[in-house]
Amino acid sequence: MKILAIETSCDDTGVAVLEIRNSKFEIRSNVVSSQVKLHKKYGGVYPSLAKREHQKNLPLVLEKALKEAKNPKLDLLAVTIGPGLEPCLWTGINFAIDLAKKMNLPLVPVNHVEAHILVNFINGPWMKTHDRRFLSREIFPAVCLVVSGGHTQLILMKSIGNYKILGETRDDAAGECLDKTARILGLGYPGGPAVAQFASRFKTYRRRASVRLPRPMIYTKDYDFSFSGLKTAVLYEFKKRSPKIRGSKKYIREMCFEVQQAVIDVLIKKTMKAAKNYKAKSIIIGGGVAANKELRKQFAEKIRKEIPYSKFYIPDSEYCTDNGLMAAIAAYYRRKGKTKNWKKIRANANLKIGEYL
Ligand code: KG4
Ligand code: ZN
């Protein structure tokens, strides 16, 4: 079976072709065109601008994905319908419907948050199986953390399609906090990778704790998060300094180190608490912030130390940020939801995990 999937929920235009053969996933192509340069100019994503870029990019990205996949004979199309930026989602949906009509193929609506989780099922040699019995024996219940520019959610996953949101951010997403910090420090967009880079250059052994930021909600009993206060703390800390200090590399490195660590501390604390409470067989992480090296390292260490019997899944960094492959994998598991009733396929900016239409 060959699936072509389209992803345009935020500022990346992604098209992928996934083949499923002998119970194995094989990536035929996964082309992503990022709008980083465009949004860098404005320090963030502007939906109407992003929409226009998707319209421009989609035919080119599609052509490239088909060419790389050697013009495959497709069985199924898929498209992300939410959550995300509504104008961007609609661009992908309209493009996918046109294509489905032309090719006379059914279309599977994909939930973006679920796709960030399910992309893990391509990772590692023994995960290249879609055997549901195997998954339920080895993996579920799983505690999933989706952390990106738009989402921060802890989800209890009992099986594929069976989700319960344990907690989520009450305001900004973790990635959004890093993006805003980068903007305050003048590091450009997207902030996550820039913050990570500066943080890695901060020499901790010389650390004299001159910058100390809060860990919002770290000890609350629930599984919710809040990152807008952290961003505000960054702003106050920054404003309090003289222009000379603010502009120094040492200060920027330290601030990046501290804000990144604050985000990691909160994410790890709450995820570990959920994993222990729900006796999770595995911890599954996804979303753009999961590309962060320190987060990956610290999560792995913590799990090995405190719950060594739990498995830990995190996608290769290139599959953490938005791409078409994640939508193709999600579509494979949701293929029963395919339809040629185009009116049913609508964008839903606030789609919850487990919902598809
Ligand atoms: O999943 P994604 O591509 O889009 C959304 O669904 O939001 O995530 C983008 C977010 C941005 O906030 C970006 O700053 C963050 O992921 N990000 C990172 C890293 N790479 C991307 N954050 C921290 N470290 C990184 N290496
Ligand atoms: Zn995403």
Side-chain angles (χ1 to χ4, degrees):
M1 177 196 283
K2 293 195 187 85
I3 304 174
L4 180 139
I6 294 168
E7 152 64 43
T8 60
S9 67
C10 187
D11 60 341
D12 295 308
T13 316
V15 179
V17 176
L18 175 72
E19 180 168 2
I20 299 93
R21 209 167 45 168
N22 303 327
S23 302
K24 294 251 171 38
F25 286 134
E26 290 177 24
I27 307 167
R28 289 281 163 250
S29 62
N30 186 30
V31 181
V32 182
S33 164
S34 159
Q35 303 180 9
V36 164
K37 269 199 199 126
L38 175 77
H39 298 294
K40 212 173 198 148
K41 238 170 60 190
Y42 301 94
V45 180
Y46 281 84
S48 57
L49 219 66
K51 174 188 153 173
R52 247 192 295 146
E53 280 301 297
H54 284 309
Q55 282 170 334
K56 243 187 354 203
N57 289 339
L58 270 169
L60 308 172
V61 175
L62 173 71
E63 195 186 317
K64 196 158 174 230
L66 286 173
K67 202 167 156 201
E68 276 181 22
K70 303 202 166 60
N71 292 312
K73 198 183 159 308
L74 298 168
D75 301 286
L76 207 55
L77 300 185
V79 66
T80 306
I81 58 156
L85 303 171
E86 191 155 329
C88 299
L89 291 163
W90 270 119
T91 311
I93 290 171
N94 289 331
F95 189 80
I97 291 176
D98 275 352
L99 202 63
K101 282 182 186 163
K102 255 189 235 153
M103 295 182 160
N104 192 25
L105 287 175
L107 194 50
V108 184
V110 168
N111 182 305
H112 184 65
V113 170
E114 183 179 37
H116 269 307
I117 294 171
L118 296 183
V119 73
N120 272 285
F121 292 178
I122 199 126
N123 200 14
W126 66 272
M127 284 297 283
K128 285 188 182 169
T129 171
H130 61 265
D131 180 350
R132 278 176 189 261
R133 268 169 312 174
F134 170 81
L135 293 175
S136 51
R137 196 175 58 231
E138 296 288 325
I139 294 180
F140 304 125
V143 162
C144 310
L145 172 72
V146 177
V147 258
S148 71
H151 324 279
T152 304
Q153 278 188 340
L154 260 177
I155 296 156
L156 180 67
M157 182 181 188
K158 290 191 184 147
S159 64
I160 294 175
N162 183 342
Y163 307 98
K164 182 179 168 209
I165 298 175
L166 300 176
E168 60 195 328
T169 184
R170 295 185 180 173
D171 38 62
D172 291 356
E176 197 177 350
C177 173
L178 298 176
D179 292 338
K180 287 176 175 167
T181 296
R183 187 145 63 175
I184 292 167
L185 299 177
L187 307 181
Y189 176 88
V195 168
Q197 206 184 9
F198 276 89
S200 72
R201 299 208 180 112
F202 177 64
K203 303 278 181 279
T204 40
Y205 58 86
R206 276 198 226 143
R207 196 163 174 234
R208 265 176 294 142
S210 58
V211 175
R212 182 74 191 158
L213 298 169
R215 270 68 176 157
M217 295 185 70
I218 193 163
Y219 294 118
T220 57
K221 288 212 174 93
D222 52 27
Y223 295 108
D224 282 349
F225 303 92
S226 164
F227 290 106
S228 92
L230 181 56
K231 164 208 66 193
T232 311
V234 167
L235 185 64
Y236 286 153
E237 157 61 42
F238 183 75
K239 279 189 169 164
K240 163 173 114 179
R241 307 286 172 166
S242 70
K244 189 164 166 243
I245 289 188
R246 277 189 220 163
S248 75
K249 281 229 166 70
K250 183 185 169 294
Y251 177 73
I252 291 177
R253 285 172 185 167
E254 181 168 5
M255 185 81 119
C256 289
F257 176 89
E258 178 65 7
V259 74
Q260 176 178 277
Q261 196 54 50
V263 168
I264 293 174
D265 284 348
V266 178
L267 293 176
I268 289 186
K269 187 89 185 174
K270 295 250 159 153
T271 307
M272 295 299 290
K273 193 170 99 171
K276 287 174 190 167
N277 273 358
Y278 289 94
K279 299 193 172 40
K281 281 193 196 144
S282 61
I283 296 179
I284 302 180
I285 304 191
V289 180
N292 186 279
K293 268 198 201 139
E294 266 311 307
L295 177 137
R296 302 169 77 90
K297 194 177 102 196
Q298 293 183 30
F299 250 114
E301 276 168 11
K302 194 82 174 170
I303 291 166
R304 202 171 49 229
K305 235 197 236 159
E306 292 190 10
I307 42 170
Y309 44 85
S310 294
K311 297 180 185 70
F312 176 44
Y313 300 107
I314 190 159
D316 289 347
S317 291
E318 64 175 312
Y319 304 140
C320 289
T321 45
D322 294 348
N323 61 82
L325 179 68
M326 56 191 268
I329 295 174
Y332 176 75
Y333 289 109
R334 290 289 314 158
R335 61 195 181 282
K336 276 197 186 134
K338 70 184 179 190
T339 180
K340 284 189 172 180
N341 186 353
W342 314 124
K343 279 200 198 103
K344 271 170 75 180
I345 303 197
R346 303 178 57 81
N348 182 345
N350 301 312
L351 196 71
K352 291 265 174 300
I353 190 161
E355 295 175 351
Y356 303 96
L357 286 172

